[in-house]
Amino acid sequence: MDTEHRVILNVGGIRHETYSHVLKKIPATRLSRLTPNLANYDPVLNEYFFDRHPGVFSMILNYYRTGKLHYPTNVCGPLFEEELEFWGLDANQVEPCCWMTYTQHRDTQDTLAVIESLDLDGDPPTQEEIAKKFGWEDDYYTGNMSQWQRLKPRVWALFDEPWSSKYARVISSLSVAFILASTCSFILKTDPSFQIPDIDVFYSLRVVDEGGFKNYHKTIGTDKPVTSPHPNFFYVDLICNIWFTIELLIRSLFCPSFHKFVRSPLTIIDVISTGAFFFESLLHAILIQTGSLVTLDFLSMICVLRLFKLTQHFSGLKILIQTFKASAQELFLLVFFVILAIVIFAALVYYAERSQLNKDNQFTSIPLGLWWSLVTISTVGFGDMVPKTYLGMLVGSLCALMGVLTIALPVPVIVSNFSNLYSHSQARAKLPKKRRRVLQAHEVKPALLGVKQHHGKHRKKSSSATFNQPPANFKNANGGPSMHDNSASKLMA
């Protein structure tokens, strides 16, 4: 009775035996619809053959037996998903004990997709990849590439891909040098040693009547209302901004997609910084007044944003920025708890300092307590505001401890995200760009059909040749048994 309901499954060369009613436990799956009419059923061996992964199938067959799907740790996640899809099973049925291990490959795939978007490759792309990047696949495959289509990617690589060639590295070094020179100029021109005072000289004449005689007193005075940077800083900024303008024009002309290029944050920073400099120079030429100088100083602060352009030339900065993006949820949670703690401890210290007689009370309002609470939670502690009462000191101690614990909580998450991105980027950089191509199933079938036709013709020839077989001791030119004899003997067998 058991023999009639027993099912033999040969998966990847390993035989598995079970009962038909076990396979019916999960309906609408491949194993629940097994019939002898299937092409993979062997009536001689009385088994079903599947050319699939045998190790994963052990877990799948155990799922039919016990109703619990566990994840094997010796296979990759995408392979396990492909096997589940082949057998018609849902991947969401994995047990909770294996869920974290099973979903790790999804996080890895997301990380690799992020690294792919960061464009951290150290090897130049192929011509096919360049054509796809610029949207010229049809012209590339047909061979109708114009001179402009051949020139545009080369110029773009010079200004956007520092690792593409030695000339691109030279241009990248020049760009970094101009960014650093512009930033150093902005910093140094605020130093008093590099500033020239605008001295106003005034004269006064006073007449004094002394005993009928008039005496004239002349007074000469000077005043230094404002100071201005050394004129050489203007020429340094002018040269740097001319380079940034030329670079911006070339990049906008040779970019793969103008719409994506305009919406890029680095492009917006470059446009604003360059425009602010020329607008500042125009105002400086027209208005030289105290009020206008404040506006000019404010506009000159925008050039500091050019430091973000260094992310184009250093892959580590890209990974660091992407780390903060990946940790945005944890950072927002940290800011929420810090704001909540600031408000609570500001109110507590305000009322704690008023609970006793305190002539030196510095916490006259809760807004002042907010400043003290922020400085204490961030563990800075300027010491400009200090609680005097015992209850206030207790609140201050709790505030400091809360700050240490709250700020330290998201640090491991940020470090883990950075380590994950950095390790995957380093591993990806060491992978070979070119891999051996594996034929797909639809590409293999025509070849197999050709082999079958060849064997069919060979069988006809060998069957006709059996009537005229050479002697058994006949040998070929190499001294071995003849191929004709071997084929005939195989056919007879």
Side-chain angles (χ1 to χ4, degrees), residues 149-423:
Q149 290 176 333
R150 298 179 187 275
L151 177 64
K152 188 176 182 179
R154 296 178 182 177
V155 178
W156 172 254
L158 288 177
F159 287 87
D160 190 73
E161 299 172 356
W163 37 262
S164 59
S165 64
K166 60 180 181 180
Y167 301 105
R169 295 188 187 96
V170 172
I171 294 178
S172 174
S173 302
L174 284 175
S175 182
V176 172
F178 279 115
I179 291 173
L180 296 178
S182 177
T183 305
C184 293
S185 174
F186 169 74
I187 295 173
L188 292 177
K189 66 183 178 182
T190 59
D191 190 273
S193 303
F194 297 98
Q195 289 187 343
I196 300 176
D198 295 335
I199 300 176
D200 295 336
V201 181
F202 57 89
Y203 303 91
S204 64
L205 180 62
R206 187 176 57 179
V207 180
V208 180
D209 190 2
E210 298 177 353
F213 296 96
K214 294 182 179 181
N215 295 326
Y216 296 91
H217 296 271
K218 294 181 179 180
T219 305
I220 300 177
T222 59
D223 185 20
K224 186 180 75 172
V226 292
T227 58
S228 60
H230 197 277
N232 291 336
F233 287 111
F234 171 76
Y235 298 109
V236 173
D237 293 338
L238 180 61
I239 295 173
C240 293
N241 281 274
I242 289 175
W243 166 264
F244 295 140
T245 304
I246 295 174
E247 184 183 12
L248 179 63
L249 292 177
I250 293 176
R251 286 168 56 84
S252 61
L253 183 62
F254 293 92
C255 61
S257 176
F258 184 76
H259 298 286
K260 293 182 179 179
F261 177 75
V262 172
R263 293 194 299 266
S264 174
L266 296 180
T267 304
I268 296 173
I269 290 174
D270 211 354
V271 171
I272 292 176
S273 302
T274 306
F277 170 76
F278 288 109
F279 184 69
E280 176 187 354
S281 302
L282 180 62
L283 287 180
H284 187 75
I286 297 175
L287 301 173
I288 307 177
Q289 296 177 357
T290 305
S292 64
L293 288 176
V294 177
T295 305
L296 292 176
D297 291 339
F298 174 76
L299 292 176
S300 61
M301 292 175 56
I302 303 177
C303 72
V304 182
L305 298 177
R306 283 204 183 97
L307 291 174
F308 287 100
K309 291 183 61 179
L310 295 176
T311 57
Q312 290 181 331
H313 312 279
F314 300 101
S315 59
L317 293 177
K318 292 183 180 180
I319 296 176
L320 183 61
I321 293 176
Q322 190 60 40
T323 300
F324 287 107
K325 288 183 179 179
S327 309
Q329 186 176 0
E330 290 79 9
L331 292 175
F332 282 131
L333 188 63
L334 170 65
V335 171
F336 172 75
F337 279 114
V338 167
I339 293 176
L340 184 63
I342 286 173
V343 175
I344 293 175
F345 284 105
L348 289 177
V349 75
Y350 171 73
Y351 289 106
E353 288 295 293
R354 298 182 61 185
S355 62
Q356 299 178 10
L357 183 61
N358 186 8
K359 297 180 181 180
D360 300 329
N361 185 14
Q362 297 176 315
F363 299 89
T364 56
S365 63
I366 292 182
L368 291 176
L370 291 174
W371 165 252
W372 169 86
S373 181
L374 174 62
V375 172
T376 306
I377 285 181
S378 60
T379 66
V380 176
F382 290 121
D384 54 344
M385 299 180 65
V386 180
K388 304 296 183 180
T389 62
Y390 290 106
L391 189 58
M393 293 178 184
L394 177 61
V395 173
S397 301
L398 295 177
C399 182
L401 292 175
M402 181 62 68
V404 172
L405 297 176
T406 304
I407 295 176
L409 285 177
V411 172
V413 178
I414 298 175
V415 173
S416 176
N417 290 334
F418 179 80
S419 177
N420 188 26
L421 286 170
Y422 186 78
S423 60

Side-chain angles (χ1 to χ4, degrees), residues 437 439-456:
R437 183 171 176 267
L439 297 177
Q440 301 296 327
H442 65 278
E443 297 175 338
V444 178
K445 287 181 179 179
L448 289 178
L449 291 176
V451 172
K452 288 182 180 180
Q453 292 176 1
H454 175 71
H455 281 304

